[in-house]
Amino acid sequence: DLHRLVAAGLTYEGAKAFATPRRLALTVQGVPARQPDLKEERKGPKVGAPEQAIAGFLRAAGLTSIDQAKVQADKKGDFYVAITEKAGRINLGLEGVLVFSAMAGFAGSYLTGQWWAGVLLAGLSGALIAALHGLVASLPRVNDIAAGIAIMLFGAGLAFYLGKPLIQPQAEQIPVLPLGGWSGSQKVAAALDVNVLFPIGVALALALAWGLKHTGWGLKVRMVGDSADAARALGTSVAGVRIAATTAGGFIAGLGGASLSLYYPGSWNEGLSSGQGLIAVALVIFARWHPVRCLGAALLFGGAGALGPALQSVGVSGYYHLFNAVPYVLTLAILVWTCSPRQSLRGAPAELGVSR
């Protein structure tokens, strides 16, 4: 109810209730686009208390040293106080998900002789690694940044180890959609060929944009991202929603890994990803966490990545490696721009650590 939301930190200007024989409705006016940052204070033992009491306070507050706590005075003396801010997570483990799913997709296609089996295995493998990331990040006193880096290293290392026998073999490739069949130029026709996963990705972006805005599960996902306390007040499992969303995102990232190993460049090797999982994180920041804008940003990054090969195909090869660096330069420029004190991360979930 409204009282529980207010207790969780909701602020508003006015509310009005409407009742009919079959329905009860409540309208709330003046809700700000973002609620104020929430801070939690945990009072600890007195200054000079036994070491056992201080150790218990540090464990309960998630601190590693008593120096991280502040000292506040009241009528009974000086006490330690831990002040913490609630934050969400950002999926830095995406690079490990992408590399591992690329290896799994290539292995599935090679062993079965069916490209669709490789794509399915890539999606399931990505979901598995992402679910592990979600579970680890949901544990108490776990640093999300450290967990993301650990998952990235784990996924990439496991893929390199298991993928050693797959470097030389060839696997069944994802078929193409010949969108350039109308052109009499072989180069134009080849440039307009896309793999069959591309329209699926476009449909997923549109479906997610609609679902996050118009469905019950979309409302839960957005609520957990913007106010975990409000979600808990409504009985929503914050950890469950975050793990489910991370797992679903891992499945979709797995489809991207399958595109790397089964379409372009269409083989498996240890340098296959070249940091594209980290580029995807910058892409989401650039697109302000909106699925349709993410689609446009992906086309922009993809065009930047295709610039070098396209120029080489028409005979411009002098600065090939320089043009290959365009996606990474673009990524650095976006990160510098979004980190500027004059720029705010508009559209970012309020529970995300980078929005604090």
Side-chain angles (χ1 to χ4, degrees), residues 151-278:
I151 291 296
M152 178 177 66
L153 297 176
F154 171 74
L158 188 60
F160 296 162
Y161 176 75
L162 297 178
K164 287 289 185 181
L166 302 173
I167 294 179
Q168 294 297 331
Q170 296 296 316
E172 182 72 18
Q173 300 290 291
I174 297 174
V176 301
L177 295 176
L179 301 182
W182 52 270
S183 175
S185 171
Q186 186 177 1
K187 291 183 178 180
V188 173
L192 294 178
D193 285 345
V194 298
N195 74 62
V196 297
L197 296 182
F198 176 75
I200 296 177
V202 174
L204 279 173
L206 297 176
L208 282 173
W210 181 87
L212 288 172
K213 189 175 182 181
H214 296 96
T215 65
W217 62 263
L219 178 62
K220 285 185 178 181
V221 171
R222 291 167 56 197
M223 184 184 300
V224 167
D226 285 331
S227 177
D229 289 326
R232 292 188 186 97
L234 294 177
T236 301
S237 172
V238 173
V241 171
R242 286 178 174 172
I243 292 172
T246 304
T247 303
F251 183 87
I252 297 174
L255 301 183
S259 293
L260 287 178
S261 59
L262 297 178
Y263 183 74
Y264 182 80
S267 61
W268 162 250
N269 61 76
E270 295 182 355
L272 181 67
S273 172
S274 301
Q276 292 188 54
L278 297 176

Side-chain angles (χ1 to χ4, degrees), residues 128-151:
L128 179 63
I129 297 294
L132 176 62
H133 183 197
L135 290 170
V136 170
S138 298
L139 297 175
R141 295 188 294 277
V142 170
N143 184 285
D144 290 339
I145 302 297
I149 294 175
I151 291 296

